């Protein structure tokens, strides 16, 4: 790295007061949160390779009905708006009665499938697939195929364990052939079961050893005689699972989680713990015991979950990776963003009993009812269940009432369990707090757009300290960062700094969502992405790993100073435009004024060719530019123009529609610009927003509109654009001001085990930042410091399935031969410096 990439005169000074110890850093600060979303479990972490192994995937969740292609929950009151009823419904996309399975036949309808629930293998999962073989296939191939979860990863030499159940009529005798094969039918592994004839359900098993490789293979049955057979619970596992456990986990994904060394794992959700309606919500009891007897759970993310990665498997995984289990229990309320239906208060004692039993299953003696089942499952010793979260994202006095009952009953029996209260979708709220009798830990959820962390990097400094702690159960920078890029990671790093500095208050955190199968993502930005054979941690994953590996015991008082560059760059240089959102609007008298001189005027210069249009329907009506299309952000902007340090004035009129008008500026092109959105959120607020590579995010706090913008009325808009700040006025009154957020952040702490002073630094500048580090209150430091840096050439960069480790932390040793000393920080970089302090030598 060279100084030529720096901005002259600009540098950072970090002064660390080594003698001034501040808040302790919680040993449990970094955890993980697993939820069945985006096929995180089934088709992901859970190593089962057959999709819809139990033929239950066409079931309608309990309590719901299907009408005109929609899933409709019971129309009973919704918890937060009671006595009102939510009108939420969800698209029902199940097209087949046996999703995941298909026939490959050479014609003549020799195979016929039907779904049945008569003579079930298990009452908990009653459906089986009936296969009628009308005639056998001499020339062609008639097969029943399962393509797994968007492919089955078969690698030459690998062993797979197959298990399934069959019953037959008197005619079907077999043989029954099973195979792993390529898409074109080329066999990779096969086995034949002869004499398959059983009136009653019978289990069959075999190992398949692959003699070829295909990352997108499929599984097939082919039938060697006429007759009818019923199939159920067709399960295929790779022999190689995480720690070679039976019914185990996919090793690459489990390892990615294990490598984070999470202090705890929160499970099973999230919305998954709540359900789309209360009748179909998750119950831990359906997720233990023999797999064929586990009732499935309908994930609120729109698919069935086998519960194969159940409570026992979760506890075992936690133990395997040294994490404390955190179980989220349902308080009798379903997801309020879905139906929000709930059980009445008198069902709470039953729900509490269910929770006490879950605790007993995890930590009770083998002589207890539920502890005995744990022992039968293979774990006589108690697991280390440490936390229970009472509800997910519930809030308000009615929730607090339920929480209080749970709290009292759990504490009476298990005082050692730490209890967590939910706080709704966002931050701590008085509304809930005031009705809570005793609080240990409150769970905040913070999904935030780009630059929020930079604008709010002292967010937790401002919280008043009480006798309870905060768990940030779900957080992520997920707006304006595509599907996650270096910008997201920079934001996540700055947010993590805030949590670490305030770890006396924030004792736990977990990023969300953790896992997503790229073939069916339910959420835009996820920490670990994968398909059936590849996986990668996003740059944010490595941020969390860096922070967790470099966690001090205690914070040290740290001051930051940024010396301004000799010449401030014009950050908002670019063209100007006009835009709308779901609104028809008109604009006129557009002027750009620089140093008192009009450098553009629509009155003088307005020509159609001057404007570049993107979307919408724009036309010029005698000097009034009108936009008459609904939808997101049609924009017209001045082509080939660039302004800096200017004032833009115009008149704008809302003609009809939902919002009001938007004023784009700093336009580089139609996909990259900033804008002031006047009348966002149904004509109620003003925001500053960023459009980056075509995706948008709010980058300011929203400011309430002082007046209602009326249809058909002209308003004077003025936008003052300076080097690194803007102000926008409506009819002469200031609406919103925005200043470029800070771009350098640093915290420091001391780790007593290693004796290291750990300095974390985030450089959001697009250039190299020289940084002077001054350690006060210490005489001796080792001359070699370990420097870890995570950077990319563009803030839009990200790891990928093809290049999973393109952007990972790089380590080196740097010479520290004086105090203060200098280091150079790469543009857009996250950095950790460990300076051995020789404090005690
Ligand atoms: O992490 C995704 C979802 O976000 C969780 O299920 C829910 O708790 C939150 O709203």
């Amino acid at each position: 790295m060279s100084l030529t990439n720096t901005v002259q005169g600009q540098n950072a000074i970090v002064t660390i007061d080594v003698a001034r110890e501040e808040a302790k850093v919680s040993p449990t600060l970094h955890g993980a949160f697993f939820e069945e979303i985006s096929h995180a479990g089934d088709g992901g972490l859970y190593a089962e390779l057959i999709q819809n192994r139990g033929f239950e995937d066409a079931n309608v969740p309990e309590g719901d009905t299907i009408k005109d292609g929609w899933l409709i929950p019971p129309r009973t009151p919704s918890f937060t708006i009671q006595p009102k009823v939510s009108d939420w419904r969800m698209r029902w996309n199940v097209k087949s009665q046996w999703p995941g399975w298909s026939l490959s036949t050479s014609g003549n309808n020799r195979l016929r499938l039907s779904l049945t629930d008569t003579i079930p293998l298990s009452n908990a999962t009653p459906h089986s697939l009936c296969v009628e073989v009308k005639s056998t296939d001499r020339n062609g191939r008639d097969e029943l195929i399962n393509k797994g979860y968007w492919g089955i990863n078969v690698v030459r030499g690998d062993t797979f364990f197959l298990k399934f159940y069959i019953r037959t009529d008197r005619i079907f005798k077999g043989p029954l052939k099973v195979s792993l094969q390529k898409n074109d039918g080329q066999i990779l592994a096969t086995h034949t079961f002869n004499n398959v004839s059983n009136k009653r359900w019978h289990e069959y098993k075999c190992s398949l050893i692959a003699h070829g490789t295909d990352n997108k293979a499929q599984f097939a049955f082919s039938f060697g005689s006429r007759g009818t057979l019923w199939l159920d619970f067709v399960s295929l596992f790779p022999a190689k699972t995480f720690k070679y456990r039976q019914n185990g986990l996919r090793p690459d994904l489990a390892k990615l989680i294990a490598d984070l060394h999470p202090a705890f794992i929160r499970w099973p959700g999230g919305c998954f713990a709540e359900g789309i309606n209360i009748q179909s919500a998750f119950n831990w009891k359906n997720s233990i015991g023999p797999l064929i007897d586990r009732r499935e759970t309908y994930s609120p993310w729109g698919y069935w979950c086998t519960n194969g990665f159940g409570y026992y498997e979760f506890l075992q995984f936690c133990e395997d990776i040294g994490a404390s289990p955190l179980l989220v229990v349902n308080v009798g309320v379903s997801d309020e963003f879905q139906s929000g239906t709930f059980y009445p208060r008198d069902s709470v004692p039953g729900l509490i009993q269910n929770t006490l039993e879950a605790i007993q299953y995890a930590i009770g003696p083998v002589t207890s009812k539920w502890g005995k089942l744990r022992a039968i499952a293979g774990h006589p010793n108690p697991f280390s269940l440490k936390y229970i979260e009472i509800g997910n994202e519930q809030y308000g006095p009615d929730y607090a009432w339920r929480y209080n009952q749970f709290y009292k009953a759990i504490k009476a029996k298990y005082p050692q369990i730490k209890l967590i209260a939910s706080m709704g979708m966002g931050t701590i709220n008085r509304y809930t707090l005031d009705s809570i009798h005793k609080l240990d830990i409150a769970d905040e959820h913070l999904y935030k757009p780009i630059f929020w962390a930079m604008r709010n990097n002292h967010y937790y400094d401002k919280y008043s300290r009480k006798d309870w702690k905060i768990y940030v159960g779900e957080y992520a920078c997920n707006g304006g960062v595509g599907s996650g890029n270096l910008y997201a990671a920079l934001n996540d790093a700055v947010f993590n700094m805030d949590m670490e500095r305030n770890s006396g208050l924030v004792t736990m955190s977990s990023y969300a969502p953790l896992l997503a199968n790229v073939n069916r993502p339910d959420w835009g930005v996820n920490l670990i992405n994968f398909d059936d054979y590849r996986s990668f941690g996003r740059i944010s994953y490595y941020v969390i790993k860096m922070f967790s590996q470099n966690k001090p015991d205690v914070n040290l008082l740290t001051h930051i100073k940024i010396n301004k560059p000799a010449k401030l760059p014009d950050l908002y240089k670019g063209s100007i435009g006009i835009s709308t959102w779901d609104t028809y609007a008109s604009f006129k008298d557009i002027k750009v004024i620089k140093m008192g001189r009009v450098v553009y005027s629509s009155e003088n210069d307005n020509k159609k060719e001057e404007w570049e249009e993107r979307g919408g329907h724009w036309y010029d009506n005698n000097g009034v530019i009108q936009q008459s299309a609904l939808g997101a952000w049609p924009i017209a902007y001045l082509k080939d123009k660039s302004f800096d340090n200017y004032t833009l004035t115009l008149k704008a009129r809302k003609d009809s529609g939902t919002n009001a008008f938007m004023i784009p500026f700093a336009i580089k092109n139609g996909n990259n610009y900033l804008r002031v959105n006047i009348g966002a959120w149904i004509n109620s607020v003003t925001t500053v927003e960023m459009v980056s590579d075509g995706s948008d995010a709010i980058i300011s706090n929203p400011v309430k509109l002082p007046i209602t913008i009326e249809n058909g009325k002209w308003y004077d808009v003025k936008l003052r654009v300076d080097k690194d700040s803007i102000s926008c006025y409506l009819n002469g009154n200031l609406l919103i001001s925005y200043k470029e957020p800070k771009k350098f952040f640093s915290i420091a702490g001391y780790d007593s085990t290693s004796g290291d002073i750990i300095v974390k630094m985030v450089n959001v500048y697009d250039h190299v930042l020289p940084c002077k580090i001054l350690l006060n209150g210490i005489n001796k430091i080792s001359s070699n410091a370990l420097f870890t840096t995570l950077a990319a050439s563009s803030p839009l960069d990200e790891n990928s399935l093809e290049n999973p480790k393109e952007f990972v932390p790089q380590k080196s040793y740097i010479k520290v031969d004086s105090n203060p000393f200098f280091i150079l920080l790469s543009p857009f970089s996250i950095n950790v410096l460990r300076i051995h302090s020789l404090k005690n030598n």
Side-chain angles (χ1 to χ4, degrees), residues 65-72 89-92:
T65 45
I66 305 297
K67 208 174 157 216
D68 303 331
W70 293 93
L71 179 144
I72 320 268
R89 59 185 188 164
M90 177 166 158
R91 267 266 167 236
W92 184 248

Side-chain angles (χ1 to χ4, degrees), residues 694-759:
S695 70
D696 71 328
I698 297 177
I699 55 172
S700 71
N701 291 329
V703 178
K704 212 169 164 293
L705 272 180
I707 50 166
T708 309
I709 294 174
E710 293 168 33
N711 287 357
K713 214 168 146 180
W714 285 105
Y715 292 87
D716 287 325
V717 177
K718 183 169 101 177
L719 179 68
R720 173 71 219 148
V721 179
D722 292 312
K723 281 178 183 291
D724 65 351
S725 65
I726 61 132
S727 313
C728 183
Y729 301 79
L730 189 71
N731 285 351
N733 299 316
L734 181 67
L735 273 186
I736 197 164
S737 296
Y738 175 80
K739 192 166 167 49
E740 187 73 3
K742 280 193 260 170
K743 297 214 161 137
F744 175 74
F745 304 85
S746 180
I747 56 169
Y750 180 68
D751 175 45
S752 57
T753 315
S754 61
D756 288 353
I757 296 164
I758 303 173
V759 190

Side-chain angles (χ1 to χ4, degrees), residues 492-519:
D492 291 329
V494 173
F495 182 60
N496 264 280
M497 283 180 160
D498 189 30
M499 291 197 288
E500 185 173 311
R501 194 181 48 246
N502 288 285
S503 191
L505 171 73
V506 182
T507 54
M508 301 162 75
S509 71
S510 43
Y511 186 99
L514 180 63
L515 292 161
N517 189 317
V518 296
N519 292 293

Side-chain angles (χ1 to χ4, degrees), residues 203-320:
E203 183 189 276
Y204 290 85
K205 279 182 181 178
C206 72
S207 296
L208 294 167
I209 302 173
H211 53 74
T213 295
D214 185 356
N215 304 128
K216 295 271 169 209
Q218 58 190 25
F219 169 79
F221 280 114
S222 62
F223 309 92
S225 85
R226 281 192 329 107
T228 300
L229 67 155
W230 287 263
L231 263 177
D232 205 353
F233 197 81
V234 185
S235 170
L236 180 76
F237 269 82
K240 281 186 208 149
T241 56
F242 186 62
K243 296 203 180 269
Y244 290 92
R245 295 219 174 268
Q246 264 186 29
N247 190 41
L249 306 180
R250 202 174 122 171
D252 59 334
L253 299 179
K255 184 170 181 313
L256 276 164
I257 300 171
D259 286 351
L260 287 173
H261 296 292
F264 60 88
I265 304 182
R266 178 177 185 243
W267 180 94
C271 298
F272 185 82
E274 299 172 274
I276 51 173
N277 56 294
I278 196 58
Q279 296 88 339
S280 68
F282 173 77
N283 181 349
W284 70 275
K285 284 181 185 159
N286 294 329
S287 78
I288 57 163
L291 295 177
I292 57 166
D293 292 328
R294 295 190 187 181
R295 268 170 77 96
E296 302 199 346
T297 301
Y298 193 69
S299 167
W301 303 102
Y303 59 93
W304 282 96
C305 163
T306 58
N307 284 325
F309 178 53
Y311 188 34
Y312 180 87
E313 291 77 18
F314 156 65
L315 293 166
Q316 183 62 67
F317 180 48
C318 289
E319 185 173 278
D320 283 346

